[in-house]
């Protein structure tokens, strides 16, 4: 079992999340009542949607982690799951993502479009058929 499949299985049990087809068309996604929250694009790469304010709030901490990539102008951060601690980080950030719209709403109230997979995050795409 890969780290991503383990994280997906665990997150799929959370009552505020449900499995969904990703709007970007690649991999698997989980949604909340606020919309898509996480996309599993490969056995190691996950995009997570946060508000702009939440990304800015945590940007310094994200910069200190080799597991997280921020794409300028995106409400999505990309996590690379290389170790069990990266899964723990993902679970924590999904919890933040579920609360972020209430804590740090987007002042422009812009629609969420795409994810980092469509914004050149630089990670290799992979089919999750066996995932």
């Amino acid at each position: 079992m890969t780290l991503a499949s383990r994280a997906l299985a665990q997150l799929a049990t959370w009552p505020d999340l449900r499995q969904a087809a990703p709007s970007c068309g690649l991999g698997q996604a989980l949604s909340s009542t606020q919309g898509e929250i996480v996309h599993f694009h490969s056995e190691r790469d996950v995009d997570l949607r946060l508000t702009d304010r939440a990304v800015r709030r945590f940007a310094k901490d994200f910069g200190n982690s080799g597991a997280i990539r921020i794409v300028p102008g995106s409400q999505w951060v990309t996590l690379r799951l290389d170790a069990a601690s990266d899964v723990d980080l993902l679970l924590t950030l999904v919890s933040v993502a579920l609360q972020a719209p209430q804590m740090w709403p987007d002042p422009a109230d812009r629609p969420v479009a795409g994810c980092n997979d469509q914004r050149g995050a630089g990670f290799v795409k992979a089919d999750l058929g066996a995932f």
Side-chain angles (χ1 to χ4, degrees), residues 45-48 67-69 71 76-80 116 121 123:
D45 302 321
V46 179
D47 282 348
L48 174 68
I68 299 176
R69 181 173 294 186
V71 176
W76 296 82
V77 296
T78 300
L79 285 84
R80 173 136 270 175
N116 286 347
F123 294 139

Side-chain angles (χ1 to χ4, degrees), residues 42-112:
S42 75
E43 294 179 353
R44 295 174 56 189
D45 302 321
V46 179
D47 282 348
L48 174 68
R49 182 177 58 90
L50 296 170
T51 64
D52 286 340
R53 285 187 180 174
V55 171
R56 285 193 307 269
R57 163 70 176 86
F58 294 112
K60 183 177 178 183
D61 297 318
F62 290 166
N64 294 331
S65 171
I68 299 176
R69 181 173 294 186
I70 298 174
V71 176
S74 176
Q75 291 184 352
W76 296 82
V77 296
T78 300
L79 285 84
R80 173 136 270 175
L81 305 178
D82 288 323
S85 60
D86 298 331
V87 173
D88 293 339
L89 176 60
L90 172 63
L91 299 177
T92 299
L93 290 176
V94 169
S95 181
V96 168
L98 288 167
Q99 298 174 34
Q102 292 82 30
M103 295 169 50
W104 300 294
D106 183 0
D109 198 28
R110 294 170 291 178
V112 177

Side-chain angles (χ1 to χ4, degrees), residues 8 23 66 108:
L8 177 61
S23 59

